[in-house]
Amino acid sequence: MADAGKRRVCYYYEPEIGNYYYGQGNAMKPHRVRMTHSLLEGYGLLHRMRVLRPIPASNRDLLRFHSDDYIAFLRSATPDRHLDADILRRFNMSDDCPVFYGLFDYCQSYAGASVCAARELNRGRADIAINWSGGLHHAKRSEASGFCYVNDIVLAILKLLEVHKIYGILFPPLNSLSFLFHSSFSVPLKLISERSIIPQLPTAMIGRDSLLLLARVLYVDIDIHHGDGVEEAFYLTDRVMTVSFHKFGDYFPGTGHIGDIGYGKGQHYAINVPLDEGIDDESYHYVFKPIMEKVMEAFRPDAVVLQCGADSLSGDRLGCFNLSIKGHSDCIRYMRSFNVPLLLLGGGGYTLRNVARCWCYETGVALGVELDDEMPDHEYIGYFGPEFTIHAVPSNMENKNSRRSLDATKVKLLETLSSLQH
Ligand code: ZLM
Ligand code: CA
Ligand code: ZN
């Protein structure tokens, strides 16, 4: 099988990340990233990949998506300085998104890790890059939302688009059947039939004897919440396709209707897969695999960004899906099997022991290493009793997704994807 082999993996981790604290009662706990790291160390996985400390995101990085006044506000806000109520409201700072100690350092750290990871893929130095502290998909240009302040995903995608361009050189004469192209990833020069590739180009700038093929980035979001911030950022473009699987109906943030498909040039480049509570592994993959297969075939991305929010797992404190760690990680396994440069990001996940289990196991999947179910001793082993296993105990909750509704969703989305293919 194509996915059986090894991959070059680089993993970004900031040792300070676990010390940031959103405040009492807030479900978002950066400590889960430190728990994951400690478990990775216990399993010996840190020796199987390059472990890198992120460079904090610069102002320049952050301003590629966010507004000046919003970033200036995040930089200056501290809990002990007076904060104007109107300004807090303007930037949507609230119980979900409080001003806490070290807020701006935290933002620079998780966003910097995603940008560094994207850069490493651009340079062709890794097949898979990982940042479990990232994936904060709700942040808007000038607004915090749902525990997210800066949108590290948008910044990483912009980085992938920036460097990852494909330049082609047409053989003279211009109407020759073949041309050479290469990409900035470590793809060797290849001879491609012009006829087979040119009609499928999303965008091409044709000079006298050269082609500039613009890169395409696919974003996939398996967090239980809709990936609204990323969708909105790329809603008008055909260079980024966004696909979110999420609980829809009386659930935060309320967007992600199946009929929201993008606009203008971006029409058909946003895909929303609304699901109901209690979805299990079998039902999830009944829609995930055929949809993603069709997306890969129709869109042919140059890089894939996968937001691996662990709040879609069974027993999550905020979530209401019923995925096992195996079922969740099969999404990573499936996307990895296409052999396209892959950026793995974190996201939600509020039952801490299951988040660490999930992201540790998924790091194993990235590396092509199967982990022993019996957990090794490590600093946070006390969180994992009484089972002390990597896999969590399944639940018997009811699956509110009928075969009929899943079929309807699948058929509708596969139909709109077909309109992309010519
Ligand atoms: N109230 N405290 C997912 C983001 C989910 C919006 C309802 C806040 C909470 C939640 C915060 C102690 C990702 C909403 C909630 C109370 C308006 C959400 C602080 C309890 C508390 O007790 C709490 C003061 C807090 C927050 C519950 N918030 C549960 N669900 C969602 C945001 C983020 O996983 O997708 C990616 C990282 N917010 O439902 C309210 C409407 C604010
Ligand atoms: Ca989602
Ligand atoms: Zn979530």
Side-chain angles (χ1 to χ4, degrees), residues 73-83 99-101:
F73 165 79
L74 288 177
R75 182 188 297 286
S76 66
T78 76
D80 35 39
R81 191 169 300 162
H82 172 75
L83 297 159
V99 174
F100 60 82
Y101 286 103

PDB file of all heavy atoms in Angstrom, residues 73-83 99-101:
ATOM      1  N   PHE A  73      -3.844  45.956  19.426  1.00  0.00           N
ATOM      2  CA  PHE A  73      -4.629  45.698  20.644  1.00  0.00           C
ATOM      3  C   PHE A  73      -4.144  44.430  21.348  1.00  0.00           C
ATOM      4  O   PHE A  73      -3.874  44.434  22.555  1.00  0.00           O
ATOM      5  CB  PHE A  73      -6.121  45.589  20.317  1.00  0.00           C
ATOM      6  CG  PHE A  73      -6.912  44.974  21.429  1.00  0.00           C
ATOM      7  CD1 PHE A  73      -7.267  45.728  22.545  1.00  0.00           C
ATOM      8  CD2 PHE A  73      -7.257  43.631  21.387  1.00  0.00           C
ATOM      9  CE1 PHE A  73      -7.967  45.145  23.593  1.00  0.00           C
ATOM     10  CE2 PHE A  73      -7.954  43.039  22.431  1.00  0.00           C
ATOM     11  CZ  PHE A  73      -8.312  43.798  23.537  1.00  0.00           C
ATOM     12  N   LEU A  74      -3.992  43.328  20.596  1.00  0.00           N
ATOM     13  CA  LEU A  74      -3.550  42.057  21.207  1.00  0.00           C
ATOM     14  C   LEU A  74      -2.177  42.215  21.854  1.00  0.00           C
ATOM     15  O   LEU A  74      -1.908  41.655  22.917  1.00  0.00           O
ATOM     16  CB  LEU A  74      -3.493  40.932  20.160  1.00  0.00           C
ATOM     17  CG  LEU A  74      -4.818  40.382  19.630  1.00  0.00           C
ATOM     18  CD1 LEU A  74      -4.559  39.322  18.556  1.00  0.00           C
ATOM     19  CD2 LEU A  74      -5.661  39.774  20.764  1.00  0.00           C
ATOM     20  N   ARG A  75      -1.310  43.002  21.206  1.00  0.00           N
ATOM     21  CA  ARG A  75       0.042  43.215  21.718  1.00  0.00           C
ATOM     22  C   ARG A  75       0.032  43.950  23.048  1.00  0.00           C
ATOM     23  O   ARG A  75       0.846  43.677  23.931  1.00  0.00           O
ATOM     24  CB  ARG A  75       0.837  44.015  20.682  1.00  0.00           C
ATOM     25  CG  ARG A  75       2.287  44.276  21.051  1.00  0.00           C
ATOM     26  CD  ARG A  75       2.916  45.245  20.064  1.00  0.00           C
ATOM     27  NE  ARG A  75       2.955  44.716  18.699  1.00  0.00           N
ATOM     28  CZ  ARG A  75       3.784  43.764  18.291  1.00  0.00           C
ATOM     29  NH1 ARG A  75       4.651  43.236  19.135  1.00  0.00           N
ATOM     30  NH2 ARG A  75       3.743  43.343  17.055  1.00  0.00           N
ATOM     31  N   SER A  76      -0.903  44.870  23.203  1.00  0.00           N
ATOM     32  CA  SER A  76      -0.864  45.748  24.385  1.00  0.00           C
ATOM     33  C   SER A  76      -1.783  45.282  25.520  1.00  0.00           C
ATOM     34  O   SER A  76      -1.622  45.723  26.652  1.00  0.00           O
ATOM     35  CB  SER A  76      -1.246  47.165  23.973  1.00  0.00           C
ATOM     36  OG  SER A  76      -2.604  47.156  23.569  1.00  0.00           O
ATOM     37  N   ALA A  77      -2.733  44.415  25.223  1.00  0.00           N
ATOM     38  CA  ALA A  77      -3.715  44.048  26.251  1.00  0.00           C
ATOM     39  C   ALA A  77      -3.104  43.157  27.331  1.00  0.00           C
ATOM     40  O   ALA A  77      -2.444  42.172  27.028  1.00  0.00           O
ATOM     41  CB  ALA A  77      -4.895  43.332  25.605  1.00  0.00           C
ATOM     42  N   THR A  78      -3.299  43.523  28.576  1.00  0.00           N
ATOM     43  CA  THR A  78      -2.936  42.643  29.702  1.00  0.00           C
ATOM     44  C   THR A  78      -4.082  42.703  30.712  1.00  0.00           C
ATOM     45  O   THR A  78      -4.828  43.678  30.753  1.00  0.00           O
ATOM     46  CB  THR A  78      -1.624  43.068  30.401  1.00  0.00           C
ATOM     47  OG1 THR A  78      -1.901  44.211  31.203  1.00  0.00           O
ATOM     48  CG2 THR A  78      -0.508  43.368  29.417  1.00  0.00           C
ATOM     49  N   PRO A  79      -4.223  41.663  31.547  1.00  0.00           N
ATOM     50  CA  PRO A  79      -5.359  41.629  32.475  1.00  0.00           C
ATOM     51  C   PRO A  79      -5.315  42.751  33.517  1.00  0.00           C
ATOM     52  O   PRO A  79      -6.341  43.120  34.052  1.00  0.00           O
ATOM     53  CB  PRO A  79      -5.237  40.267  33.156  1.00  0.00           C
ATOM     54  CG  PRO A  79      -4.191  39.514  32.441  1.00  0.00           C
ATOM     55  CD  PRO A  79      -3.395  40.465  31.627  1.00  0.00           C
ATOM     56  N   ASP A  80      -4.110  43.290  33.812  1.00  0.00           N
ATOM     57  CA  ASP A  80      -4.078  44.312  34.859  1.00  0.00           C
ATOM     58  C   ASP A  80      -4.063  45.746  34.326  1.00  0.00           C
ATOM     59  O   ASP A  80      -4.054  46.684  35.096  1.00  0.00           O
ATOM     60  CB  ASP A  80      -2.929  44.071  35.840  1.00  0.00           C
ATOM     61  CG  ASP A  80      -1.698  43.503  35.180  1.00  0.00           C
ATOM     62  OD1 ASP A  80      -1.390  43.943  34.044  1.00  0.00           O
ATOM     63  OD2 ASP A  80      -1.055  42.633  35.779  1.00  0.00           O
ATOM     64  N   ARG A  81      -4.135  45.883  33.000  1.00  0.00           N
ATOM     65  CA  ARG A  81      -4.256  47.236  32.449  1.00  0.00           C
ATOM     66  C   ARG A  81      -5.742  47.509  32.211  1.00  0.00           C
ATOM     67  O   ARG A  81      -6.514  46.604  31.917  1.00  0.00           O
ATOM     68  CB  ARG A  81      -3.491  47.298  31.113  1.00  0.00           C
ATOM     69  CG  ARG A  81      -3.320  48.693  30.576  1.00  0.00           C
ATOM     70  CD  ARG A  81      -2.329  48.702  29.411  1.00  0.00           C
ATOM     71  NE  ARG A  81      -1.014  48.212  29.831  1.00  0.00           N
ATOM     72  CZ  ARG A  81      -0.078  47.783  28.983  1.00  0.00           C
ATOM     73  NH1 ARG A  81      -0.318  47.754  27.683  1.00  0.00           N
ATOM     74  NH2 ARG A  81       1.089  47.379  29.435  1.00  0.00           N
ATOM     75  N   HIS A  82      -6.132  48.780  32.333  1.00  0.00           N
ATOM     76  CA  HIS A  82      -7.545  49.089  32.095  1.00  0.00           C
ATOM     77  C   HIS A  82      -7.907  48.814  30.636  1.00  0.00           C
ATOM     78  O   HIS A  82      -7.208  49.205  29.719  1.00  0.00           O
ATOM     79  CB  HIS A  82      -7.857  50.549  32.428  1.00  0.00           C
ATOM     80  CG  HIS A  82      -9.248  50.925  31.995  1.00  0.00           C
ATOM     81  ND1 HIS A  82     -10.373  50.514  32.679  1.00  0.00           N
ATOM     82  CD2 HIS A  82      -9.696  51.605  30.914  1.00  0.00           C
ATOM     83  CE1 HIS A  82     -11.444  50.943  32.058  1.00  0.00           C
ATOM     84  NE2 HIS A  82     -11.074  51.618  30.973  1.00  0.00           N
ATOM     85  N   LEU A  83      -9.016  48.115  30.435  1.00  0.00           N
ATOM     86  CA  LEU A  83      -9.449  47.782  29.072  1.00  0.00           C
ATOM     87  C   LEU A  83     -10.801  48.413  28.804  1.00  0.00           C
ATOM     88  O   LEU A  83     -11.753  48.187  29.547  1.00  0.00           O
ATOM     89  CB  LEU A  83      -9.520  46.258  28.920  1.00  0.00           C
ATOM     90  CG  LEU A  83      -8.173  45.547  29.075  1.00  0.00           C
ATOM     91  CD1 LEU A  83      -8.374  44.078  29.417  1.00  0.00           C
ATOM     92  CD2 LEU A  83      -7.341  45.686  27.807  1.00  0.00           C
ATOM     93  N   VAL A  99      -8.745  38.230  27.953  1.00  0.00           N
ATOM     94  CA  VAL A  99      -7.376  38.755  27.973  1.00  0.00           C
ATOM     95  C   VAL A  99      -6.678  38.076  29.149  1.00  0.00           C
ATOM     96  O   VAL A  99      -7.079  38.262  30.294  1.00  0.00           O
ATOM     97  CB  VAL A  99      -7.373  40.288  28.166  1.00  0.00           C
ATOM     98  CG1 VAL A  99      -5.951  40.806  28.338  1.00  0.00           C
ATOM     99  CG2 VAL A  99      -8.063  40.975  26.987  1.00  0.00           C
ATOM    100  N   PHE A 100      -5.698  37.231  28.865  1.00  0.00           N
ATOM    101  CA  PHE A 100      -4.985  36.558  29.967  1.00  0.00           C
ATOM    102  C   PHE A 100      -3.492  36.892  29.916  1.00  0.00           C
ATOM    103  O   PHE A 100      -3.013  37.463  28.932  1.00  0.00           O
ATOM    104  CB  PHE A 100      -5.254  35.043  29.947  1.00  0.00           C
ATOM    105  CG  PHE A 100      -4.835  34.322  28.680  1.00  0.00           C
ATOM    106  CD1 PHE A 100      -3.517  33.926  28.456  1.00  0.00           C
ATOM    107  CD2 PHE A 100      -5.794  34.009  27.699  1.00  0.00           C
ATOM    108  CE1 PHE A 100      -3.160  33.244  27.294  1.00  0.00           C
ATOM    109  CE2 PHE A 100      -5.431  33.331  26.539  1.00  0.00           C
ATOM    110  CZ  PHE A 100      -4.109  32.954  26.334  1.00  0.00           C
ATOM    111  N   TYR A 101      -2.773  36.539  30.970  1.00  0.00           N
ATOM    112  CA  TYR A 101      -1.338  36.837  31.036  1.00  0.00           C
ATOM    113  C   TYR A 101      -0.587  36.137  29.914  1.00  0.00           C
ATOM    114  O   TYR A 101      -0.759  34.938  29.701  1.00  0.00           O
ATOM    115  CB  TYR A 101      -0.744  36.424  32.397  1.00  0.00           C
ATOM    116  CG  TYR A 101      -1.161  37.368  33.490  1.00  0.00           C
ATOM    117  CD1 TYR A 101      -2.151  37.021  34.405  1.00  0.00           C
ATOM    118  CD2 TYR A 101      -0.587  38.644  33.581  1.00  0.00           C
ATOM    119  CE1 TYR A 101      -2.551  37.904  35.398  1.00  0.00           C
ATOM    120  CE2 TYR A 101      -0.975  39.538  34.561  1.00  0.00           C
ATOM    121  CZ  TYR A 101      -1.965  39.170  35.469  1.00  0.00           C
ATOM    122  OH  TYR A 101      -2.369  40.053  36.439  1.00  0.00           O
TER     123      TYR A 101
END
